[in-house]
Amino acid sequence: LTNKGVSSKISVADASRKLDSEFGFVGFVELYRENLCLLGWRATKQVPSYCRCGAEGPLFGAKFPPTSTTHREAYDSSLDKVPPSIQASLKKLVERDELLYLHGLFVFERAVRETGAQLVCPGKMERLWSSALEDACRPSTSQYIREHYNKTCPVVRKSLSQKALDVVSGVVEHAFEVRNRNDRAMRHLKHVGKKIS
């Protein structure tokens, strides 16, 4: 692993093993409060009541602070502003990172289960998984995801060649259907013709 993501020389399986064995803690920005509670549990083996799903209360003597991000300049970081061609190029670069992110979610979820408390509200975890699966699922990754994380890809994106094969397959299927209909019609006409004569 590098500060630039998964090295191109390491497999996702190897990077996942490193995440399991060489990292003392895996956390997520999206789960800031839950990260703090999990770290606290790791240090004390106790889960304060304010760390349970839906609870409010002190954290080290204070309420959880609201999280917000402010920048000196306003900007729109929406992916919608990035041209589709650049999005496609970026997608190729981060495929391994997306799979490693899934493994991180898996590791985090496992650590939360060890506490015996519901540190993360179910809906929040489900939304994270859903978003991560939407990003990581491709024809080339869906089986890996199913086997390693027992998750099903919502809609597997198809490559252009797969889409072309699907279109050709549809055309061939339609042609066979038309041919079968024509064959049935011809047999019917022959049968009717025999009755008339």
Side-chain angles (χ1 to χ4, degrees), residues 60-71:
F60 309 117
K63 254 187 149 183
F64 274 107
T67 56
S68 64
T69 306
T70 57
H71 300 277

Side-chain angles (χ1 to χ4, degrees), residues 4-191:
K4 294 178 181 159
V6 179
S7 165
S8 61
K9 296 176 183 153
I10 189 170
S11 71
V12 172
D14 287 341
S16 296
R17 278 191 289 279
K18 283 182 174 290
L19 195 62
D20 286 330
S21 63
E22 297 178 17
F23 285 73
F25 182 78
V26 175
F28 294 86
V29 172
E30 303 93 334
L31 299 171
Y32 175 75
R33 292 170 55 161
E34 294 85 347
N35 292 333
L36 293 177
C37 289
L38 183 56
L39 280 170
W41 177 82
R42 285 224 170 138
T44 65
K45 296 298 182 204
Q46 294 177 358
V47 178
S49 61
Y50 57 79
C51 279
R52 297 181 191 278
C53 172
E56 284 291 327
L59 175 65
F60 309 117
K63 254 187 149 183
F64 274 107
T67 56
S68 64
T69 306
T70 57
H71 300 277
R72 289 187 189 133
E73 296 177 27
Y75 70 95
D76 183 358
S77 61
S78 169
L79 194 57
D80 297 335
K81 303 285 183 191
V82 179
S85 61
I86 293 175
Q87 286 183 34
S89 297
L90 290 172
K91 205 76 177 134
K92 291 175 191 170
L93 292 174
V94 298
E95 182 173 324
R96 290 180 184 183
D97 297 299
E98 290 168 340
L99 289 173
L100 192 57
Y101 184 92
L102 290 179
H103 189 71
L105 280 177
F106 177 78
V107 169
F108 183 84
E109 227 176 9
R110 184 176 60 206
V112 166
R113 277 194 303 273
E114 289 173 15
T115 70
Q118 184 147 15
L119 299 183
V120 185
C121 294
K124 193 171 191 179
M125 202 68 211
E126 289 166 14
R127 284 188 299 276
L128 266 177
W129 271 107
S130 178
S131 175
L133 287 168
E134 190 175 305
D135 290 338
C137 287
R138 298 174 176 74
S140 60
T141 62
S142 61
Q143 183 174 347
Y144 179 90
I145 291 167
R146 192 171 38 259
E147 289 171 1
H148 288 79
Y149 308 114
N150 197 27
K151 300 284 184 185
T152 304
C153 289
V155 175
V156 177
R157 291 183 214 103
K158 295 184 177 182
S159 65
L160 188 56
S161 59
Q162 184 61 48
K163 287 178 186 175
L165 283 173
D166 289 351
V167 168
V168 169
S169 175
V171 168
V172 168
E173 191 175 310
H174 179 72
F176 278 120
E177 187 179 310
V178 168
R179 187 176 119 206
N180 287 338
R181 246 185 287 144
N182 288 344
D183 287 348
R184 283 193 303 271
M186 288 302 289
R187 283 194 299 272
H188 179 71
L189 286 174
K190 286 180 184 176
H191 180 66

